[in-house]
Every structure is written in structure tokens, then in C-alpha cells.
């Protein structure tokens, strides 16, 4: 405007400008930099033959860990992959920083875990300022009725009373100093007399877990036991003895030892399982009267009992069943309870069921009777015992419920329908996708803790008093106020109880009305959650859950991210994840496909998606992807896939079948080279792994593996979607699988700079570090946003 005004006020300047223009030479426009070229690792073809099939693998050298030359090449390749990923995503650095700030602002930097009441003590972990790892602490509940974990008294000192009310039990920062700067704990058990803490820490240099026992009164380490390769622990003899399981060099649990605390005697070997196909596990009953010993393989499952008062008195067989079965033993007032999915009279059952038998039963084999009559419409998914009540997690179709039944149960009726026991159904928020029992160590308390998950609600840790129906949210992040509420004690929770409690009696099977969404910090006002049944290729209905922002939903315009897993009978993780909020608030649809092979639909649903049926999982996922596009929920050119571990296999296999269906995909530590991993395992595999993906020795399983293995079924001369694979430098994640798949996709398919195949390598401690989690999630989100916009 300023130049225009000048030419109007001074018209002679216009002619002068024309004269200058005659001599003007336009500057050469800067050409866009050429896109970076993807790495090309060397090909060293090697032929393999098994059964009636021969194939060639040009990148098998990547998994030859004993070849130093190959590993040097591998290091060079990984360095090139890092640089290539950085170059491709260099224009998203500002976006990554913005996303990381967004995600970090939503993190729940809890100063303390929810305190857990056990006997006279409150146990919890808290983080001290400037420290990387937490401290395990406890306080006497009698001195701490008004404890609020994120407020004073700091460091466990009550300035009002002048008393130190906190006892530090274990500082994991000091443990990190013991274990090379790395503190990862797998097991942690306080003795029933509250005098000792048994725990296992990961020794990174030796790749095993080391057992230690600490005296909680003195804070010193006990001289024994100090075992290595420990996979399981259980207290006995009221805390005077510790039973523990050790693994062999293939990480198979196979020996049980008993250590008498304070004794100088050698630990006693209670059991050694010589069969390499049999695994061993132990756990104590909640009343600490017995320790159960499970030995299991694909052929049989057995349960033995050890009298915890005299752990050296031998083991008694209480359950013996064919095939691999899940068996959990509990004890309540003279009765053993067995929660299992073992076959009944030789017939495979679809779900778990509850049995009972008197402790002193003399019959051999032991006779078990059913507690509940079979009811396909109401399936018991899990149970938990206390002295006065039995808590049941129930599934009706794909909907979860939680109820309690008073104990002891009548012994004269035989199997009964659940409604005859007058269950009390406890209140739950809408759209519950998972209910997980908490530690619930205190057998004598009627209060039980559960974690509730939902796609549109931050996880809630809730204490339910089974004696009167009161409930209290102990911990939950409030996304609307960007803070976390962590409360404990009568005074601090009175107002919460007044607002958050449901004390209505419920003596029948009638529905308990859902509480106000605001009481649960539910986000349904802002984010919608919808459920669909999608018809798969064979007519089976597959549950599909979608979540989207009510503000940004547009028909046939939104990009979408489809999650899948479908393995081991595990529930698909549909929890609210704060990092996904960055996608939802940018108009994305987040969808979850509960494909066959996963959990939530019984054993048949699981078995219909494993081994020779793995094709069903993949077809289910493809059907859900097509549904999203055909119903115009997601734009046809803006669908991305997301899979973790076995879910990475699912998504990669779907891409092989329909590469045009997806615009992008994120695969996290994916299982991609099924043929070679199952035939020639570099890392130890369990019976459950082979039961899931197939036994190569079985010719039908072998052909199924060859047909679904992502690495062996990459299409040639087609355009693949953009893919970001996140793997780790740690060999425990099998980084070579990702590297091999990336190399073969680039070699076989069309190269489009707008659809890059990227390999992002992380450290192996991302899961333990919230900052690194944010950084990784920001990179993945930036990748998805860039691919959809390009």
C-alpha cells in the first residue's frame, strides 16, 4: 500500500520504475531440496528349507548376533536408519516440540501412588524432588487419618505433632546405584508380619532378575536369600520363610526353593522340573494359609498345595487336568476355591468358572463342585476374595460389570444361579472397557480396590467397601483441570464421599443406574464414544469402538487411526490415553477393533484367531478398516493403522493384503518375521507363544505361518503406505525383525518420498520415563499428521 500511494502522489516515479525494470534480471527460484534417500543394507542371500518349502532370505545376516562382522554392519545400518528418519521428519521439529509440550502438560506427575491399607499400615511410593526413581514408604494409618499424598507433611514429618510418621522402606535411586544406574523392579512382596520386603531387581548386564530381602525395621539387606534368575516369590510361615522360583538359562521357571529368613542353612530345593516343556509358578492364598504350586505345559496342568505353616512338609496334588489351563487356588474358611478354564469332562469350555472343595476332602482324585450354574449371558471374568465377601467381574456380551456376594456361601445348595446369592452390583461409569483388581493384600478388610478404564475417561482407581456399597475415587487425573486427585483417609475424603458415593442397596439383579458423568471425570461431553458390530469376511460380528471430538467431527473428512492387537486372548487396550487427545483435538477419529485372537469374547474368540486361524484376526481388522471408510466415518485416503508387538504383526499383515487401504501406520516393537522367529528362535519362546502363532513342526501350522508372516508376504511393485516402526537397541526386542522388514519393503515396493518407510530406534527405558514417552509419542503423532497432509 505504501508503494501504491507513492506512485499516485508522484506519477513521474512510475516511468523511472519502468526504465529500471528493463535491466531487471529475475533471481533463480531456489529448487526444493531433494528428498533424502533411504538406506540400502547389503543383501546376503541365504536359502532355507523346511517341510516341503524352500525360501530365500537376503537379510538373515541381521539376526546373526554371534557374527561380529555382521553386527558391525548392523550398527552402521542402524546409524543410517536414525539419520534417515531424522532427515525425513526434520520439517516436523517445531510440530514435535509443540506436541511434546501439549502431552507433557497433561502428564499426571503424581507425587505419590494411592496409599494402600494393609493391616495397620499405609503403603505407597512417592517421588522426591530431583530424583529419577521413587521411594517405597509406609505410615501407620492411626497416625495418618488425614493423609493427603500431594500435600504436607513433607518427607513424612508432621510439624503439628512433632512426629516422624513416614518410614522409608526402599529407595530405588540407591538400588539404581547397585545395578549400574538402572532400577527396574519386577516383584515386590511385604511379609505378612510386615517385617521384611522381598523384591527382585533387573540386572541389565546379566539379563536376569536378582532377589533381595530387606529387614524393614533396620533397613539392612538380609544375608540370604540372594538368588539370581528369580521369576516368582511367595511368603510362608507368617513371614519366617520365603519360597522362590528360579529359571534355567532359557528363562524357563523350573525350580522352587525355600529360604528360612535369618537362618544360615542352605536354601532347600522343594521341586525341580526336568521336563523342558513344563513351567512352574507359585502364589500364596490371600489368607496366607497355603502356597499353591502350578506346573503346566501344553499337555497338562497341575496344582499342588504347600502348607504355609510348614513349607518343608511336602506338596499335595489338588488339581490335575489335561491341556494348558489357567488355575488359581484360594482358601476361605475350610474350603478351597478353584477359578479355572480347564476342560469339563473332556470338553473345552469357553470361559472361566468357579469350583470349590473342602480342604480336608479325602477322596482321590479330589472332587470339585461348581459354585455357579452355567450362564452364557453372564460370564465370570475374574474373582477376588476377602474374609467377608467375594467380588466378581462379570461380562454380559462385551459389557463389563462388578458385583459382590456375601461370604461364606451356603454349602448345601450345590451350584446356584448368581441372582440367588443376592449380588450387590457396584456403580461404574459409562463405556467401561476394562476392570482390573488392585493388589488387595488385606484379606481381613471388606474394602477392595479396582482400576476402571474407559476410552473417554482417565483411569480411575476406586475403593469399594463391599459391606455397605460405599465407593471412593482414590486416584484419577482430571483432564479438565489438568491435575490429579490422590486422596486417602476419612477427613480428606468426607466431601468426596458425600459427592462420589453410592450407598443404595441392591438386593437383586436389577441394573444400578450409572452415576453422573461429572462424578467420574468422564469426558463424554467433549468426546463421543460409539460402538459398532462389523461383519467380517465370514459373517462373524467384530466389535468396533470409535472415539472422536464432538467439536471436530465431519462426515467423510476426518483422518482416522485404527488400533488392533488380537493375540494371547488379551483385551485390546482401549483406555483413555492423554497423548491421543492431540489427535482427537485435530479432528482425528480413534478406533479400536476387537478382532479374534484377543480377549473379551471367551476362549473360542481367542482360539478362532490363533495358529491356523490367524487369518481371521487379519481379516477382522481389514473389515473394520473398510467399515470406517465405507460408512464415511474416516476419509478414504486418511486411514492409519497402529499396532504394538503382536498388534504390529496384525497391522503389517493387513497392509500386505490391502496396501491401498491405509495411508500410514505406526508399528511399535512389532513381531514381523514370524517364520524365522518361530523356526530359529534367538530369544527364548514359551509354550504360549507357539500356541498363539503356531508350531512350525506341524505342517498345517507351518503353512499358516508362511501365509500370514509379514516379512514373507510383502507385495512387489505396489505402493505401500508410509510406515514408522519404533524398535529398541536392546536385543530383547529383536530389532533385527524391524530392520529386515523395512529393508525388504523398500526393496520390493515403489519408492514414494511422500510415503517413507522409517525405523525409529529408542532406548530400552522409554517405558520407565514419562519424558521419553512424551517425546516418542510426539514423534509418532507428528509423523501421522505429516503423512496425512502430504
Amino acid at each position: 500500500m505504501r508503494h501504491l500511494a507513492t506512485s499516485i502522489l508522484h506519477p513521474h516515479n512510475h516511468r523511472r520504475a519502468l526504465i529500471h525494470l528493463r535491466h531487471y534480471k529475475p533471481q533463480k527460484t531456489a529448487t526444493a531440496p531433494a528428498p533424502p534417500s533411504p538406506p540400502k543394507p547389503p543383501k546376503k542371500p541365504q536359502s532355507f528349507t523346511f517341510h516341503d518349502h524352500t525360501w530365500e532370505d537376503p537379510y538373515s545376516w541381521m539376526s546373526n548376533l554371534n557374527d561380529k562382522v555382521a553386527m558391525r554392519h548392523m550398527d552402521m545400518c542402524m546409524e543410517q536408519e536414525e539419520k534417515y528418519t531424522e532427515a525425513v521428519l526434520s520439517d516436523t521439529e517445531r510440530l514435535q516440540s509443540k506436541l511434546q509440550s501439549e502431552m507433557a502438560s497433561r502428564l499426571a506427575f503424581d507425587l505419590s501412588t494411592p496409599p494402600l491399607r494393609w493391616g495397620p499400615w499405609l503403603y505407597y511410593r512417592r517421588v522426591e524432588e530431583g530424583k529419577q526413581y521413587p521411594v517405597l514408604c509406609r505410615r501407620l494409618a492411626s497416625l495418618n487419618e488425614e493423609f493427603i499424598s500431594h500435600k504436607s507433611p513433607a518427607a513424612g514429618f508432621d510439624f503439628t505433632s512433632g512426629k516422624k510418621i513416614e518410614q522409608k522402606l526402599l529407595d530405588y535411586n540407591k538400588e539404581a546405584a547397585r545395578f549400574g544406574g538402572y532400577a527396574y523392579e519386577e516383584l515386590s512382596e511385604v511379609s505378612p508380619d510386615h517385617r521384611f520386603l522381598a523384591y527382585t531387581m533387573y540386572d541389565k548386564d546379566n539379563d536376569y532378575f536378582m532377589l533381595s530381602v530387606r529387614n524393614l525395621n533396620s533397613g539392612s539387606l538380609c544375608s540370604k536369600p540372594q538368588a539370581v534368575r528369580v521369576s516368582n516369590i511367595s511368603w510362608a510361615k507368617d513371614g519366617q520363610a520365603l519360597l522362590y522360583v528360579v529359571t534355567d538359562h532359557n528363562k524357563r521357571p523350573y525350580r522352587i526353593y525355600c529360604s528360612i529368613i535369618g537362618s544360615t542353612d542352605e536354601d532347600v530345593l522343594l521341586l525341580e522340573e526336568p521336563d523342558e516343556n513344563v513351567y512352574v509358578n507359585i502364589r500364596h492364598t490371600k489368607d496366607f494359609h497355603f502356597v499353591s504350586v502350578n506346573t503346566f505345559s501344553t499337555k497338562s496342568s497341575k496344582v499342588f498345595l504347600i502348607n504355609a505353616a510348614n513349607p518343608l512338609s511336602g506338596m499335595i496334588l489338588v488339581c490335575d487336568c489335561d491341556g494348558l489351563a489357567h488355575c488359581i487356588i484360594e482358601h476361605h474358611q475350610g474350603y478351597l476355591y478353584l477359578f479355572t478354564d480347564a476342560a469339563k469332562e473332556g470338553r473345552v469350555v469357553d470361559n472361566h468358572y468357579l469350583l470349590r472343595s473342602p480342604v480336608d476332602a479325602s477322596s482321590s482324585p479330589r472332587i470339585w463342585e461348581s459354585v455357579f450354574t452355567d450362564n452364557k449371558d453372564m460370564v465370570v471374568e475374574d474373582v477376588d476374595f476377602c474374609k467377608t465377601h467375594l467380588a466378581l467381574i462379570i461380562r454380559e456380551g462385551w459389557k463389563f460389570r462388578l458385583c459382590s456376594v456375601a461370604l461364606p456361601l451356603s454349602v448345601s445348595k450345590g451350584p446356584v444361579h448368581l441372582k440367588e446369592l443376592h449380588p450387590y452390583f457396584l456403580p461404574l461409569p459409562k463405556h467401561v472397557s476394562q476392570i482390573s483388581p488392585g493388589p488387595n493384600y488385606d484379606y481381613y478388610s471388606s474394602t477392595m480396590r479396582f482400576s476402571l478404564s474407559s476410552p473417554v475417561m482417565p483411569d480411575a482407581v476406586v475403593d469399594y467397601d463391599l459391606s455397605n456399597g460405599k465407593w471412593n475415587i482414590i486416584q484419577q487425573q482430571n483432564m479438565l483441570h489438568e491435575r490429579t486427585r490422590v486422596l486417602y483417609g476419612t477427613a480428606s475424603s468426607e466431601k468426596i464421599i458425600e459427592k462420589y458415593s453410592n450407598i443404595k442397596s441392591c438386593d437383586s439383579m436389577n441394573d444400578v443406574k450409572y452415576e453422573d458423568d461429572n462424578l467420574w471425570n468422564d469426558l463424554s461431553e467433549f468426546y463421543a464414544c460409539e460402538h459398532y458390530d462389523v461383519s467380517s469376511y465370514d459373517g462373524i460380528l467384530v466389535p468396533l469402538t470409535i472415539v472422536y471430538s464432538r467439536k471436530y467431527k465431519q462426515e467423510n473428512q476426518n483422518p482416522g487411526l485404527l488400533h488392533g492387537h488380537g493375540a494371547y486372548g488379551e483385551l485390546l487396550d482401549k483406555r483413555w490415553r492423554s497423548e491421543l487427545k492431540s489427535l482427537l483435538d485435530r479432528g482425528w477419529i480413534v478406533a479400536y477393533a476387537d478382532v479374534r485372537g484377543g480377549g473379551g469374547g471367551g476362549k473360542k474368540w481367542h482360539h478362532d484367531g490363533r495358529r491356523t486361524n490367524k487369518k481371521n484376526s487379519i481379516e477382522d481388522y481389514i473389515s473394520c478398516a473398510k467399515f470406517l471408510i465405507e460408512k464415511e466415518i474416516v476419509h478414504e485416503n486418511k486411514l492409519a493403522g497402529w499396532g504394538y508387538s503382536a498388534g504390529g504383526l496384525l497391522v503389517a499383515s493387513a497392509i500386505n493384503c490391502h496396501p491401498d487401504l491405509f495411508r500410514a501406520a505406526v508399528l511399535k516393537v512389532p513381531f514381523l518375521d514370524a517364520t524365522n522367529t518361530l523356526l530359529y528362535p534367538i530369544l527364548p519362546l514359551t509354550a504360549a507363544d507357539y500356541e498363539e502363532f503356531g508350531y512350525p513342526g506341524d505342517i498345517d501350522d507351518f503353512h499358516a505361518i508362511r501365509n500370514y508372516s509379514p516379512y514373507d508376504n510383502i507385495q512387489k511393485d505396489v505402493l505401500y503406505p508410509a510406515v514408522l516402526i519404533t524398535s529398541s537397541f536392546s536385543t530383547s526386542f529383536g530389532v533385527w525383525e524391524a530392520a529386515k522388514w523395512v529393508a525388504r519393503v523398500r526393496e520390493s515396493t515403489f519408492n514414494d518420498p511422500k510415503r517413507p518407510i522409517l525405523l525409529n530406534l529408542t532406548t530400552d527405558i522409554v517405558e520407565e520415563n514419562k519424558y521419553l514417552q512424551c517425546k516418542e509419542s510426539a514423534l509418532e503423532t507428528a509423523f501421522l499428521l505429516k503423512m496425512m497432509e502430504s
Side-chain angles (χ1 to χ4, degrees):
M1 287 294 290
R2 185 177 174 186
H3 294 293
L4 178 62
T6 304
S7 62
I8 292 172
L9 292 173
H10 305 280
H12 60 277
N13 287 343
H14 182 62
R15 183 173 179 273
R16 190 182 304 165
L18 288 173
I19 294 171
H20 285 297
L21 280 172
R22 290 176 190 159
H23 302 281
Y24 172 73
K25 291 183 179 180
Q27 292 181 349
K28 293 181 179 179
T29 55
T31 56
S37 299
K40 290 184 178 180
K43 295 167 66 175
K44 303 175 184 178
Q46 185 175 355
S47 293
F48 297 87
T49 301
F50 197 74
H51 287 309
D52 55 352
H53 196 78
T54 298
W55 68 96
E56 195 173 81
D57 185 353
Y59 301 109
S60 63
W61 63 268
M62 290 185 173
S63 59
N64 194 351
L65 304 185
N66 296 321
D67 186 334
K68 293 182 179 179
V69 175
M71 289 302 97
R72 280 200 294 271
H73 278 128
M74 190 64 171
D75 288 340
M76 291 170 58
C77 289
M78 295 303 96
E79 187 176 338
Q80 291 171 2
E81 292 291 351
E82 274 192 290
K83 291 179 179 177
Y84 177 61
T85 299
E86 288 177 6
V88 171
L89 298 179
S90 60
D91 59 344
T92 68
E93 288 181 357
R94 291 183 63 185
L95 175 60
Q96 287 184 51
S97 296
K98 178 174 171 32
L99 290 166
Q100 190 173 345
S101 297
E102 286 180 19
M103 295 172 183
S105 70
R106 303 185 199 115
L107 282 179
F109 287 104
D110 308 331
L111 298 181
S112 170
T113 59
L116 182 69
R117 177 81 181 255
W118 183 12
W121 295 98
L122 295 174
Y123 289 90
Y124 55 95
R125 297 168 195 255
R126 65 175 179 81
V127 178
E128 295 181 325
E129 187 175 354
K131 298 292 182 67
Q132 182 176 359
Y133 297 103
V135 181
L136 176 64
C137 306
R138 70 179 178 186
R139 307 183 186 198
L140 283 171
S142 59
L143 297 176
N144 200 34
E145 285 296 321
E146 299 186 12
F147 171 51
I148 301 178
S149 66
H150 60 279
K151 293 185 178 179
S152 296
F157 190 81
D158 185 348
F159 292 97
T160 304
S161 63
K163 295 179 180 178
K164 183 179 179 181
I165 60 175
E166 178 182 85
Q167 181 184 358
K168 285 187 182 180
L169 305 180
L170 185 62
D171 187 339
Y172 292 96
N173 297 285
K174 294 180 180 178
E175 291 298 307
R178 286 179 64 204
F179 292 95
Y182 184 70
Y184 177 71
E185 176 190 72
E186 185 177 49
L187 304 171
S188 177
E189 295 281 346
V190 175
S191 63
D193 60 358
H194 303 276
R195 293 173 54 211
F196 298 99
L197 171 70
Y199 61 101
T200 61
M201 300 295 297
Y202 183 59
D203 187 327
K204 191 176 179 182
D205 293 335
N206 296 299
D207 190 28
Y208 57 54
F209 285 91
M210 180 176 175
L211 172 66
S212 300
V213 176
R214 193 171 291 274
N215 186 318
L216 297 184
N217 292 327
S218 66
S220 60
L221 281 172
C222 298
S223 58
K224 60 180 286 290
Q226 286 191 356
V228 298
R229 300 199 309 274
V230 174
S231 65
N232 216 215
I233 55 178
S234 184
W235 286 102
K237 210 172 180 180
D238 197 28
Q240 298 176 51
L242 180 70
L243 277 61
Y244 60 92
V245 179
V246 299
T247 65
D248 61 18
H249 290 285
N250 289 321
K251 299 187 178 181
R252 176 182 68 95
Y254 78 121
R255 284 179 178 170
I256 304 176
Y257 287 93
C258 177
S259 179
I260 305 300
I261 305 300
S263 169
T264 57
D265 296 338
E266 289 289 319
D267 295 349
V268 179
L269 178 64
L270 301 183
L271 173 72
E272 180 171 5
E273 179 51 65
D275 190 335
E276 293 183 355
N277 297 310
V278 178
Y279 295 73
V280 176
N281 187 43
I282 60 174
R283 69 180 292 275
H284 62 77
T285 56
K286 293 192 69 176
D287 61 2
F288 285 98
H289 283 195
F290 298 97
V291 174
S292 62
V293 177
N294 292 59
T295 63
F296 53 92
S297 69
T298 56
K299 295 181 179 179
S300 70
S301 301
K302 298 179 181 180
V303 184
F304 302 85
L305 276 192
I306 295 175
N307 183 353
N310 187 6
L312 302 181
S313 61
M315 300 187 298
I316 301 172
L317 179 67
V318 293
C319 178
D320 186 358
C321 52
D322 294 331
L324 183 62
H326 181 229
C327 302
I328 298 292
I329 291 281
E330 272 301 341
H331 171 252
H332 186 274
Q333 295 186 12
Y335 275 83
L336 295 177
Y337 287 84
L338 172 63
F339 187 61
T340 184
D341 61 356
K344 285 185 177 180
E345 299 174 355
R347 289 178 294 128
V348 175
V349 298
D350 199 26
N351 300 290
H352 284 73
Y353 53 93
L354 188 63
L355 303 173
R356 68 177 172 182
S357 175
V359 171
D360 55 4
S362 56
S363 60
S364 182
R366 177 179 290 269
I367 297 174
W368 293 89
E369 68 171 14
S370 295
V371 174
F372 303 116
T373 56
D374 292 336
N375 185 352
K376 293 182 179 179
D377 297 326
M378 185 172 289
V379 175
V380 179
E381 286 287 313
D382 206 351
V383 298
D384 203 352
F385 282 81
C386 67
K387 185 177 181 180
T388 57
H389 287 84
L390 168 65
L392 302 164
I393 297 174
I394 304 290
R395 178 173 56 81
E396 297 174 342
W398 289 84
K399 176 184 176 183
F400 291 97
R401 303 183 71 186
L402 180 62
C403 72
S404 66
V405 172
L407 292 176
L409 301 177
S410 172
V411 297
S412 58
K413 288 185 176 181
V416 297
H417 194 283
L418 179 59
K419 67 180 180 182
E420 296 180 46
L421 300 177
H422 308 294
Y424 185 107
F425 279 84
L426 299 159
L428 296 171
K430 293 178 182 176
H431 309 298
V432 170
S433 59
Q434 189 167 1
I435 304 173
S436 306
N440 297 327
Y441 292 118
D442 200 336
Y443 173 74
Y444 298 98
S445 171
S446 62
T447 297
M448 281 194 185
R449 180 165 294 177
F450 294 87
S451 293
L452 310 179
S453 299
S454 160
V456 287
M457 181 197 76
D459 283 2
V461 180
V462 184
D463 278 357
Y464 291 96
D465 189 334
L466 305 186
S467 66
N468 57 24
K470 290 183 179 180
W471 58 283
N472 187 11
I473 297 177
I474 298 301
Q475 185 182 51
Q476 186 184 31
Q477 186 178 10
N478 186 331
M479 293 302 297
L480 303 182
H481 296 93
E482 303 291 355
R483 70 179 187 87
T484 304
R485 182 178 63 246
V486 187
L487 301 170
Y488 195 91
T490 55
S492 63
S493 62
E494 276 178 3
K495 293 181 180 179
I496 300 299
I497 289 177
E498 181 182 343
K499 181 178 179 182
Y500 288 88
S501 292
N502 173 7
I503 318 177
K504 295 185 292 185
S505 62
C506 180
D507 298 325
S508 68
M509 300 285 287
N510 295 334
D511 283 342
V512 176
K513 291 182 179 179
Y514 288 116
E515 295 303 301
D516 186 338
D517 292 344
N518 292 330
L519 300 184
W520 295 98
N521 283 328
D522 189 287
L523 303 172
S524 294
E525 179 184 349
F526 309 97
Y527 304 98
C529 181
E530 297 176 0
H531 303 276
Y532 298 91
D533 289 326
V534 177
S535 179
S536 192
Y537 79 108
D538 55 357
I540 296 295
L541 297 179
V542 181
L544 176 67
T545 303
I546 70 167
V547 180
Y548 59 88
S549 168
R550 297 185 186 277
K551 183 177 179 181
Y552 297 107
K553 178 72 166 65
Q554 299 177 36
E555 190 172 305
N556 198 27
Q557 294 296 317
N558 299 73
L561 184 64
L562 179 60
H563 291 73
H565 185 66
Y568 298 102
E570 296 171 348
L571 282 174
L572 177 62
D573 184 2
K574 298 193 286 284
R575 294 175 300 167
W576 168 266
R577 300 213 308 271
S578 61
E579 65 267 25
L580 290 179
K581 187 176 186 293
S582 293
L583 285 177
L584 291 169
D585 291 348
R586 286 171 171 82
W588 281 60
I589 307 292
V590 177
Y592 303 90
D594 278 298
V595 303
R596 280 172 282 186
K603 189 180 288 187
K604 186 178 186 305
W605 188 262
H606 170 212
H607 288 188
D608 283 351
R610 67 173 194 169
R611 294 181 66 173
T612 55
N613 294 322
K614 197 65 195 170
K615 171 189 174 184
N616 291 335
S617 301
I618 300 161
E619 292 290 348
D620 290 352
Y621 185 80
I622 292 169
S623 297
C624 288
K626 290 180 176 178
F627 178 89
L628 290 172
I629 292 170
E630 290 168 0
K631 297 298 180 182
E632 298 186 340
I633 298 169
V634 172
H635 189 280
E636 64 177 345
N637 293 320
K638 293 186 177 181
L639 178 62
W642 194 97
Y644 174 81
S645 190
L649 179 146
L650 175 76
V651 178
S653 296
I655 290 172
N656 283 343
C657 296
H658 290 275
D660 58 324
L661 195 56
F662 302 91
R663 183 65 185 80
V666 174
L667 310 179
K668 295 177 72 69
V669 288
F671 179 33
L672 297 172
D673 189 10
T675 301
N676 289 303
T677 296
L678 294 170
L679 261 179
Y680 314 109
I682 296 170
L683 304 172
L685 298 177
T686 65
D689 296 322
Y690 288 109
E691 283 290 308
E692 190 62 38
F693 298 105
Y695 294 87
D698 182 295
I699 193 163
D700 292 331
D701 278 7
F702 174 75
H703 285 303
I705 293 165
R706 290 291 300 168
N707 287 333
Y708 74 69
S709 175
Y711 179 65
D712 300 304
N713 291 279
I714 296 165
Q715 292 195 37
K716 290 188 176 181
D717 300 328
V718 297
L719 186 61
Y720 262 45
V723 179
L724 173 65
I725 295 185
T726 297
S727 193
S728 169
F729 285 111
S730 170
T731 54
S732 61
F733 291 109
V735 67
W736 54 86
E737 291 204 20
K740 289 173 67 176
W741 188 86
V742 164
R744 183 171 262 185
V745 169
R746 290 181 188 146
E747 171 202 345
S748 303
T749 63
F750 290 138
N751 177 32
D752 183 351
K754 293 184 178 180
R755 297 188 175 211
I757 308 297
L758 304 178
L759 177 54
N760 176 47
L761 296 169
T762 67
T763 63
D764 56 355
I765 58 171
V766 169
E767 298 299 325
E768 300 297 306
N769 189 307
K770 290 185 176 182
Y771 171 78
L772 290 179
Q773 285 178 3
C774 271
K775 187 175 182 180
E776 187 177 308
S777 296
L779 183 139
E780 292 166 5
T781 304
F783 164 79
L784 290 171
L785 293 172
K786 174 183 169 73
M787 293 307 112
M788 291 304 168
E789 291 170 0
S790 62

